[in-house]
Amino acid sequence: MSTGPGADSAPAPTPTTPVPPPVSPPVPPPVSPSVSRKSSMFSSLKIRNYRLFFAGQVVSNIGTWMQRIAQDWLVLSLTGSATAVGVTTALQFLPMLLFGLYGGVLVDRLPRRRTLLVTQTSMAVTGIALAVLTLSGHVQVWHVYLAAFAAGLATVVDNPARQSFVSEMVGPDQLQNAVSLNSANFQSARLVGPAVAGLMITGVGTGWAFLFNGLSFVAPVAGLLLMRARELHVVERAPRGKGQLREGLHYVAGRPDLIWTIVLVGFIGTFGFNFPVYLSAFANDVFHAGAGSYSLFNTLMAVGSLAGALLAARRGTARMRILIAAAVAFGAMEIVAATAPSLWLFALLMAPIGMFGMTVNVTANTSIQMGTDPAMRGRVMALYMMVFLGGSPIGAPIAGWITDSYGVRAGLAVGGAIAAAAAVTIGVLLARVGNLRLSVGWNRGHPQVRFVPRERQEELAAVA
């Protein structure tokens, strides 16, 4: 956990080293070093409640990815417009933008296990309804828009509830590991879901993919019902009262390490993660391929994302310098992919894009959860998810418009450039807030680049 901007890169103070006054309110203590050992990569799965949760999410996440692929391809088939795909994505995340903060307030008040039972069931109903419309041959594009918006309403509460519920299942010592494994779970399903969806779309149609997604929610609901309530870590819920939303915003505003991390993922989520628009247009318009190529792009991106999530679980710590570096690399790789001349080169570039994108996601998610007071976690995670996912209603239509007007290569390049520029700018700001300077040197014969406090920089120069 980073206790302040760039604090992860600074050396630990010794009894003879004066400690500078804190620039932000105190945060929870760092995670025990034990969580960073390689042997701890899957340690949170030893907890029964988390195993049930993890297993249920495997099935549900496969269905979710199948529906995403089928939904994008159905809209593109019905309209022939990348903008329409962007509108669908925007409608799915618009509720998070409009109501995300209120969802966090509810999550801090309500029992999270019961809340998840309601949200997971409602998303199952949405998937089954869209399957019935599609299989009966009566589906229209506005039906898909409505289903996307309804699913988005459920995620307003479901996302912060799931993020916050992890700490109740595993406790603070295993939180970093469990968050990383959740991401690995999601990306593992991303390997299977798009591939199965591509086969299902070309073989029997999109309706069956929607039906599988609706039925897949049986697994997480069963897992929640089978959990042992006595083994959950007790978290004090916020009582009903006025000003709780404002209280959460003030809490984040007073923490530079939280606010700038959220701003960074906001830029990346809004302009860099519009892959439903970009990948479908590359498959259909640039390389003139079918749904199989679209699924291939998503699958290879999932390979990289899975690698990024597992590396985060092995790393065990969330460092600000890793977040900034991964964000810069993510944007740069998108610019490179925008110029790829062939389908196979473009497809291969999806793996590093997925790895760096997932590194950004996991590092930011973990640092925010581990640096937040448990009583505030629902509201802070709601703000995080609102900014990260809620930016899609703004970014997806813009990406679709640029794609339709100037070509998908221009759209992907612009998104990558904005993500990289935001990372560099925020990295400089965080370094200044934390009174840090860039240190370039050698460590045991290897080049080392890191941020150190200005006082420490002067000491290093004197030694040199």
Side-chain angles (χ1 to χ4, degrees):
M1 178 186 71
S2 174
T3 59
D8 57 285
S9 303
T14 62
T16 60
T17 302
V19 180
V23 297
S24 60
V27 297
V31 179
S32 170
S34 62
V35 300
S36 63
R37 294 196 301 263
K38 293 181 181 180
S39 61
S40 67
M41 181 179 287
F42 302 102
S43 58
S44 56
L45 290 176
K46 297 177 182 178
I47 301 171
R48 179 182 181 275
N49 285 343
Y50 183 70
R51 283 201 309 272
L52 290 170
F53 178 84
F54 187 90
Q57 290 300 310
V58 168
V59 180
S60 178
N61 286 335
I62 291 174
T64 297
W65 276 109
M66 290 178 64
Q67 173 143 335
R68 285 191 180 186
I69 300 299
Q71 176 180 279
D72 296 339
W73 200 256
L74 176 61
V75 171
L76 193 63
S77 301
L78 292 173
T79 65
S81 170
T83 302
V85 177
V87 170
T88 307
T89 303
L91 287 172
Q92 187 164 346
F93 297 114
L94 181 61
M96 181 65 68
L97 179 63
L98 297 177
F99 313 114
L101 293 177
Y102 296 98
V105 172
L106 289 175
V107 167
D108 280 338
R109 291 177 181 174
L110 301 174
R112 288 162 189 170
R113 182 184 174 198
R114 296 178 184 176
T115 302
L116 287 172
L117 286 170
V118 175
T119 57
Q120 297 282 296
T121 302
S122 63
M123 286 189 284
V125 172
T126 301
I128 293 174
L130 189 56
V132 171
L133 287 169
T134 306
L135 292 173
S136 64
H138 295 95
V139 68
Q140 300 178 34
V141 68
W142 71 268
H143 292 146
V144 185
Y145 289 164
L146 182 61
F149 186 78
L153 285 174
T155 60
V156 166
V157 177
D158 185 79
N159 270 338
R162 277 190 297 107
Q163 299 286 343
S164 304
F165 188 55
V166 173
S167 63
E168 293 188 29
M169 289 184 288
V170 303
D173 290 341
Q174 296 292 340
L175 181 59
Q176 158 77 16
N177 183 262
V179 169
S180 299
L181 289 183
N182 280 349
S183 298
N185 185 331
F186 189 70
Q187 299 307 322
S188 299
R190 191 176 180 181
L191 289 172
V192 179
V196 176
L199 294 174
M200 192 169 288
I201 291 170
T202 56
V204 293
T206 56
W208 293 101
F210 297 141
L211 181 62
F212 182 94
N213 178 55
L215 296 178
S216 70
F217 285 98
V218 172
V221 169
L224 290 167
L225 293 173
L226 290 172
M227 287 183 183
R228 296 169 181 166
R230 65 181 181 275
E231 296 179 6
L232 294 174
H233 293 257
V234 178
V235 175
E236 184 179 355
R237 295 196 297 272
R240 181 184 296 272
K242 295 182 179 180
Q244 291 179 324
L245 178 58
R246 185 170 58 253
E247 181 185 9
L249 293 175
H250 286 169
Y251 177 82
V252 174
R255 294 283 304 280
D257 56 325
L258 297 182
I259 190 65
W260 287 114
T261 300
I262 291 174
V263 170
L264 175 58
V265 298
F267 272 101
I268 293 177
T270 300
F271 299 103
F273 271 82
N274 293 300
F275 295 114
V277 178
Y278 298 140
L279 299 189
S280 60
F282 264 99
N284 193 60
D285 301 331
V286 176
F287 300 120
H288 307 290
S293 296
Y294 180 45
S295 297
L296 174 66
F297 297 157
N298 281 277
T299 301
L300 289 176
M301 185 176 291
V303 171
S305 299
L306 177 59
L310 291 176
L311 286 173
R314 182 181 184 182
R315 189 164 54 243
T317 56
R319 297 179 179 272
M320 189 61 65
R321 65 187 180 190
I322 294 176
L323 174 62
I324 298 298
V328 173
F330 172 78
M333 292 305 300
E334 284 197 333
I335 296 173
V336 173
T339 64
S342 67
L343 184 149
W344 290 108
L345 179 58
F346 179 83
L348 290 175
L349 287 170
M350 293 300 101
I353 288 176
M355 184 181 70
F356 289 124
M358 182 51 55
T359 301
V360 171
N361 190 3
V362 172
T363 305
N365 188 312
T366 303
S367 64
I368 289 176
Q369 285 215 55
M370 297 178 71
T372 302
D373 189 318
M376 288 284 184
R377 191 166 288 148
R379 279 164 281 184
V380 174
M381 290 309 299
L383 177 62
Y384 169 82
M385 299 304 297
M386 184 194 75
V387 172
F388 183 59
L389 300 178
S392 294
I394 300 172
I398 294 175
W401 174 77
I402 295 175
T403 297
D404 286 340
S405 301
Y406 303 100
V408 65
R409 293 187 185 275
L412 183 58
V414 169
I418 293 175
V424 171
T425 302
I426 292 173
V428 172
L429 289 173
L430 285 172
R432 289 185 176 180
V433 170
N435 195 32
L436 302 176
R437 293 182 61 183
L438 184 66
S439 171
V440 181
W442 293 85
N443 182 23
R444 298 179 180 178
H446 299 283
Q448 184 179 58
V449 179
R450 59 177 180 165
F451 286 103
V452 298
R454 292 182 184 274
E455 295 81 1
R456 181 61 175 168
Q457 177 74 12
E458 294 172 0
E459 294 176 11
L460 292 175
V463 172

